[in-house]
Amino acid sequence: MTGTKGAPDAPLHLAVALDGAGWHPAAWREEGARPGELLDAAYWADLVAEAERGLLDFVTFEDALGLQSAAFHLPDDRTDQVRGSIDAVLLAAHLAPLTTHIGLVPTTNVTHTEPFHLAIGIATLDHASRGRAGWRPQIASRAADAAHFGRRTTPQLTEDDVTDSERISRPLRALFAEGAEVVEAARQLWDSWEDDAEIRDAATGRFIDRDKVHHIDFQGTDFSVKGPSITPRTPQGQPPVVSLAHATTPYEFAALSSDVVAVTPHDRAGTAAILSQVAEAVERTGRDVHERPLRTFADLIVLLDDEPGAAARRKDRLDEAAGAELASDAEIFTGTPAELADLLIDRHSTGLDGFRLRPAVLPHDLTAITRGLVPELQRRGVFRTEYTSTTLRGHLGLERPTSRYTKAG
């Protein structure tokens, strides 16, 4: 729960963020990488099976409305880095029947995509996975993305904007506010069918109880949704919402809209400071964390090798191949699984609930997480030795909420 120090015996949560050949731009050129298979569903099935073998809480899948770019705010014309991807929600739906326990959290854009479409897509994924869906809503921070749709324009960030996380978020504040409305509309659509709305009684000819299917009549600043959803209430009721946050405005978005917030501190002191800022955002927005806990995860890019110093040497080789030193919004860790375990346990004690690790090279660093880091954490008694839940909410220790319309009735 945000705003409180994590108890020494509190469970440590682990997730991985999967993206292309890995989070280092030269990862696709490494021995063992599979650049010819990045659009092959079997490649992703192998990665997620490995993550599930490591008993991780969930995996996230990146997505975007434009080609990947070395610049945060502009497209580029580079040909030496991975470009091209597949739809994250459709990928997660394909992986759902191939897995049994791990949470599947696709990223979707909420600036240019209809809220109704987003809501039923994630609801369908929750049904397909039998309760393991999550959702990472993301605003369109690149103005160029708007040209794919032709309905609106969005702010163009400048070079000065992208040098500071607080400065980046200011021109995007209206998009975050709209994003919060999109998430709220989706949540209301997920609730629009009560749990027992489907009767399916062939003898009486009644398939649904129409009194338990509700119009939501949601009115946002720039859109409205009448509802109800076409998709009945899902196994989790409300699939967990995961957001990535670097500054005040996205912290407030997380406090309003998310069940899990991933933050990007670069040291122990920064972790404590960011947790304090998240707690302040929770207080400003009036969220009741006893009723709606907000799980806090920290992102790290990881390069792991068993031999001391090997990961740092590997990073140097990758940087040389890329022609530049790796830079990221998240902290970059190079070391052994035991050294990473030391860091995670120390940061966990500041109040973090868990970590979303970004493997620098796939599958190398993912396997190092599942077969090196996880056993080390298990030996220290801080990570699960088996799944005890079949849903993502269960992995995260979040209760299944009752439909708001059931409460009102």
Side-chain angles (χ1 to χ4, degrees):
M1 184 184 301
T2 189
T4 60
K5 295 289 184 182
D9 58 349
L12 187 153
H13 298 278
L14 278 183
V16 291
L18 299 178
D19 186 27
W23 286 83
H24 196 292
W28 68 279
R29 301 167 68 177
E30 274 289 276
E31 183 179 354
R34 297 159 62 181
E37 302 174 49
L38 300 186
L39 305 184
D40 189 332
Y43 168 77
W44 296 94
D46 289 346
L47 296 178
V48 175
E50 184 62 39
E52 186 168 65
R53 194 174 294 117
L55 307 177
L56 305 186
D57 290 56
F58 61 88
V59 294
T60 61
F61 306 100
E62 299 301 302
D63 207 347
L65 297 179
L67 291 176
Q68 301 96 318
S69 174
F72 176 80
H73 61 309
L74 294 169
D76 67 18
D77 296 319
R78 296 187 69 151
T79 59
D80 62 331
Q81 298 178 3
V82 170
R83 296 292 182 264
S85 59
I86 52 181
D87 183 273
V89 176
L90 295 178
L91 174 61
H94 170 79
L95 297 171
L98 305 180
T99 52
T100 57
H101 286 86
I102 196 164
L104 304 170
V105 184
T107 301
T108 71
N109 180 271
V110 296
T111 303
H112 300 293
T113 315
E114 293 295 336
F116 190 90
H117 178 77
L118 293 170
I120 63 173
I122 299 301
T124 300
L125 177 60
D126 205 41
H127 281 291
S129 63
R130 299 183 178 180
R132 294 180 288 115
W135 177 29
R136 189 167 92 83
Q138 185 178 58
I139 66 165
S141 57
R142 287 186 193 152
D145 292 347
H148 298 314
F149 299 87
R151 293 197 297 262
R152 63 189 295 188
T153 59
T154 54
Q156 175 61 62
L157 298 175
T158 68
E159 292 292 338
D160 289 338
D161 288 333
V162 300
T163 61
D164 179 81
S165 58
E166 288 292 342
R167 184 163 177 167
I168 289 174
S169 64
R170 288 184 198 125
L172 302 176
R173 190 169 180 83
L175 296 183
F176 277 105
E178 179 186 60
E181 291 182 341
V182 170
V183 174
E184 178 56 26
R187 288 188 183 278
Q188 290 188 28
L189 286 167
W190 293 337
D191 280 351
S192 64
W193 289 61
E194 296 182 37
D195 286 321
D196 55 352
E198 292 180 279
I199 301 170
R200 305 173 185 170
D201 188 345
T204 63
R206 293 183 73 208
F207 192 88
I208 65 168
D209 182 341
R210 192 61 186 81
D211 291 335
K212 295 187 176 183
V213 181
H214 304 272
H215 295 297
I216 68 170
D217 294 317
F218 182 88
Q219 184 62 56
T221 303
D222 297 306
F223 69 89
S224 61
V225 181
K226 184 173 180 61
S229 174
I230 62 170
T231 308
R233 201 148 195 262
T234 74
Q236 293 184 104
Q238 294 271 336
V241 175
V242 180
S243 63
L244 176 64
H246 307 93
T248 301
T249 296
Y251 296 153
E252 290 178 352
F253 173 85
L256 285 168
S257 303
S258 304
D259 300 289
V260 178
V261 58
V263 296
T264 54
H266 282 245
D267 52 36
R268 194 179 200 281
T271 302
I274 287 174
L275 289 177
S276 179
Q277 290 177 281
V278 172
E280 289 168 5
V282 165
E283 186 174 353
R284 281 195 303 274
T285 58
R287 179 179 182 140
D288 183 345
V289 293
H290 298 286
E291 183 176 339
R292 293 179 58 220
L294 177 60
R295 300 292 183 233
T296 53
F297 280 49
D299 272 21
L300 291 94
I301 291 182
V302 296
L303 296 97
L304 293 176
D305 286 290
D306 292 333
E307 179 189 342
R313 292 192 294 273
R314 184 159 56 93
K315 177 181 174 296
D316 289 342
R317 186 178 69 249
L318 286 161
D319 289 349
E320 183 177 2
E325 185 175 358
L326 177 62
S328 174
D329 57 323
E331 181 177 3
I332 301 166
F333 176 88
T334 60
T336 66
E339 289 168 341
L340 181 55
D342 289 339
L343 184 148
L344 299 188
I345 292 170
D346 178 60
R347 301 284 176 85
H348 183 48
S349 69
T350 68
L352 285 168
D353 293 299
F355 301 87
R356 188 178 73 137
L357 304 179
R358 306 181 191 177
V361 177
L362 293 169
H364 179 107
D365 291 306
L366 173 61
T367 304
I369 290 167
T370 57
R371 304 185 190 188
L373 174 66
V374 167
E376 182 66 29
L377 293 171
Q378 290 170 333
R379 281 192 290 272
R380 303 189 195 193
V382 296
F383 191 67
R384 67 170 67 92
T385 55
E386 63 180 353
Y387 283 114
T388 57
S389 174
T390 58
T391 70
L392 178 53
R393 294 190 74 92
H395 299 337
L396 296 169
L398 300 173
E399 297 293 329
R400 184 183 188 275
T402 303
S403 165
R404 69 195 68 201
Y405 300 102
T406 301
K407 291 179 181 178

